Amino acid sequence: RTSDPELFLILASDGSAQIFGEQEVCNNDRPRNDQNCLLVEASTAPITIDGNLDDWSSVGPEASISDPAGDHDGDDPGADVLGTRIAYSGSVVYVLTELAAAPSTSFQNAGSPNGGSYRLVVQGYNGLSVEGTLFYSPTSESWELLTFTGGLEVEVGPTGIEWSIDISSYLGEGFESLDFIMVEPRDCSVASCGALDDAECAYFDL
């Protein structure tokens, strides 16, 4: 550990050294499931989906996964995912997508009709499969949520996006875990959409 409590100096067998963030070290130590997602211990901290991200400060590293800064495509920091935090209370899953800057309203390919776009995917036992896309509409000059499943809420914050997913209809006998939770920024051209930052996915057991 360095003098900075959030940084670690890792010495390799060849004598080289590299500094890693605390969450990067934690990522490497964690189990992965069959979908290559990292295990988290979902926090029970109370979360309100209102665009104010202050309540996420009590969600610690054990309930978070990190993503390297600057590994996104393009030069828009709003497409750079820095991490994901997860909380769970009752029958609701809460997800915070941490970004290097404000969620972008404008990253887009030439000829694209869309502004910034962020896609959430949550999967689990008993057929749980929730997908929603938050996108900025230049026409209405507002954020809009496209989803084909109920129980999904989202709000945009100054440096992130917070989501809530009601999974009450999937709970019951045989439900053991949420085995895939991921949010990715997507650039949608006229023909297709592609991920701008291949962020890690997470899972947790109930």
Side-chain angles (χ1 to χ4, degrees):
R1 183 184 288 267
T2 68
S3 59
D4 186 325
E6 294 184 354
L7 297 178
F8 290 81
L9 181 66
I10 305 299
L11 300 177
S13 57
D14 61 1
S16 62
Q18 189 170 357
I19 293 177
F20 290 90
E22 181 175 1
Q23 289 193 28
E24 290 177 285
V25 174
C26 293
N27 281 3
N28 292 333
D29 288 341
R30 292 181 179 176
R32 292 181 181 268
N33 64 4
D34 292 342
Q35 300 196 60
N36 202 35
C37 297
L38 287 162
L39 176 66
V40 299
E41 298 178 15
S43 170
T44 57
I47 301 295
T48 302
I49 304 299
D50 57 4
N52 184 338
L53 308 183
D54 290 346
D55 47 359
W56 287 94
S57 62
S58 59
V59 177
E62 71 282 352
S64 308
I65 56 175
S66 63
D67 188 79
D71 67 336
H72 61 299
D73 293 336
D75 57 4
D76 191 329
D80 189 8
V81 177
L82 298 183
T84 302
R85 301 190 190 195
I86 298 174
Y88 178 71
S89 178
S91 60
V92 180
V93 179
Y94 300 92
V95 178
L96 172 64
T97 307
E98 298 178 281
L99 303 170
S104 178
T105 62
S106 61
F107 55 76
Q108 51 190 8
N109 290 320
S112 169
N114 300 318
S117 174
Y118 299 84
R119 174 174 172 254
L120 166 78
V121 179
V122 177
Q123 298 173 350
Y125 280 66
N126 293 349
L128 170 61
S129 182
V130 175
E131 181 175 331
T133 297
L134 177 71
F135 67 95
Y136 185 82
S137 169
T139 302
S140 64
E141 298 184 345
S142 64
W143 290 96
E144 300 181 11
L145 178 63
L146 173 65
T147 179
F148 299 101
T149 54
L152 180 60
E153 295 183 12
V154 61
E155 289 289 345
V156 174
T159 55
I161 303 169
E162 52 182 359
W163 316 72
S164 70
I165 309 99
D166 185 345
I167 63 170
S168 57
S169 60
Y170 301 95
L171 297 176
E173 184 178 356
F175 196 97
E176 298 180 7
S177 72
L178 286 92
D179 50 21
F180 189 94
I181 303 170
M182 185 185 70
V183 179
E184 61 182 7
R186 292 167 65 82
D187 192 356
C188 294
S189 65
V190 173
S192 62
C193 292
L196 290 172
D197 192 344
D198 294 321
E200 293 270 21
C201 58
Y203 80 98
F204 71 90
D205 298 323
L206 295 184

